[in-house]
Amino acid sequence: LASLKALTETLQEGALEDPPAARRFLQRIETEVDALSQMVNELLELSRIESGQVPLRLAPTPVAEVLLPPVDRLRPQAERAGLELTVVLPPGVPSVLADVDRARLVVTNLVHNAVKFTPPGGRITVAARASGDDVLLSVQDTGVGIPAEDLARIFERFYKGDRARSGGGTGLGLAICQSIIAAHGGRIWAESELGHGSTFYFILPASQAGETRTEV
């Protein structure tokens, strides 16, 4: 908001009379408005999830249906960044009881972060395997890693770590992931070594045949 105010004041003080400068300021204003819109939308999404205003529609879902659409959507971005993006899905992994749209949002956020924080030539691996009565899903990268002092706080709203991991974004993506996974009765966590990449794990319950329900 402070940036928007400064930009509009500059236009009012004479930049409007300089068309090239005015266009630059208007482009910056548009960028700031887009960022605010994203933040408001993510806050609304977080509020809806945590308050139960939008109940989860849980249904048996093949793990491939959770993982592959987000990966396919982000693959062009990964390729432009010079990254190898692969999916490891062994045969026999059970279906999960999930709200597929929200589960995909978790994968999208985690893969997007991995792309953002992995230098060219790196690898991102999205995987799943059975784990008792649950399914363990993961997004592993060979990126810049997360400092130990930040690792315990990365799922807090608006929290951003050091400058290497805080470029852009609202600081809400991981908080949304945590709320979605908690609403599924699972958990999410990360392991990382600075300079040697990160792995984000989350657990979803394996489904029983014919199981479908709505969580409020």
Side-chain angles (χ1 to χ4, degrees):
L1 288 172
S3 178
L4 282 171
K5 183 174 177 59
L7 290 166
T8 54
E9 286 177 347
T10 303
L11 286 169
Q12 290 171 342
E13 290 169 359
L16 277 173
E17 309 307 321
D18 181 351
R23 280 193 294 272
R24 289 197 304 272
F25 281 114
L26 287 172
Q27 288 169 351
R28 289 175 59 187
I29 287 172
E30 184 178 28
T31 298
E32 296 294 340
V33 170
D34 288 344
L36 281 174
S37 295
Q38 180 183 353
M39 182 178 293
V40 169
N41 288 333
E42 290 184 352
L43 280 169
L44 287 171
E45 175 72 1
L46 198 54
S47 176
R48 291 188 190 105
I49 295 166
E50 293 180 345
S51 67
Q53 291 179 14
V54 180
L56 297 182
R57 292 173 174 81
L58 302 177
T61 305
V63 174
E65 291 296 314
V66 173
L67 296 183
L68 296 184
V71 169
D72 289 343
R73 186 164 63 250
L74 289 169
R75 191 178 299 281
Q77 183 177 341
E79 291 175 350
R80 286 195 299 270
L83 305 174
E84 179 185 349
L85 176 57
T86 60
V87 176
V88 178
L89 187 56
V93 176
S95 294
V96 291
L97 187 64
D99 181 315
V100 66
D101 289 334
R102 295 184 185 277
R104 286 175 180 172
L105 178 58
V106 173
V107 177
T108 298
N109 283 347
L110 296 181
V111 174
H112 183 266
N113 279 351
V115 171
K116 186 190 302 184
F117 299 117
T118 302
R123 298 185 310 279
I124 300 168
T125 304
V126 181
R129 62 178 175 85
S131 178
D133 294 331
D134 301 310
V135 176
L136 177 66
L137 302 97
S138 62
V139 177
Q140 182 180 37
D141 66 58
T142 58
V144 298
I146 305 170
E149 61 270 22
D150 293 332
L151 200 55
R153 301 190 60 192
I154 56 175
F155 294 100
E156 296 177 11
R157 297 184 188 195
F158 300 113
Y159 186 79
K160 293 186 179 183
D162 66 10
R163 190 170 302 174
R165 292 193 66 91
S166 62
T170 62
L172 289 167
L174 290 178
I176 290 173
C177 290
Q178 184 178 56
S179 292
I180 289 172
I181 297 304
H184 281 80
R187 66 187 183 96
I188 184 171
W189 71 98
E191 296 175 359
S192 183
E193 183 180 351
L194 191 61
H196 295 279
S198 306
T199 304
F200 283 79
Y201 299 93
F202 63 98
I203 287 175
L204 291 174
S207 68
Q208 305 300 318
E211 186 176 16
T212 302
R213 68 173 187 263
T214 299
E215 290 288 342
V216 179

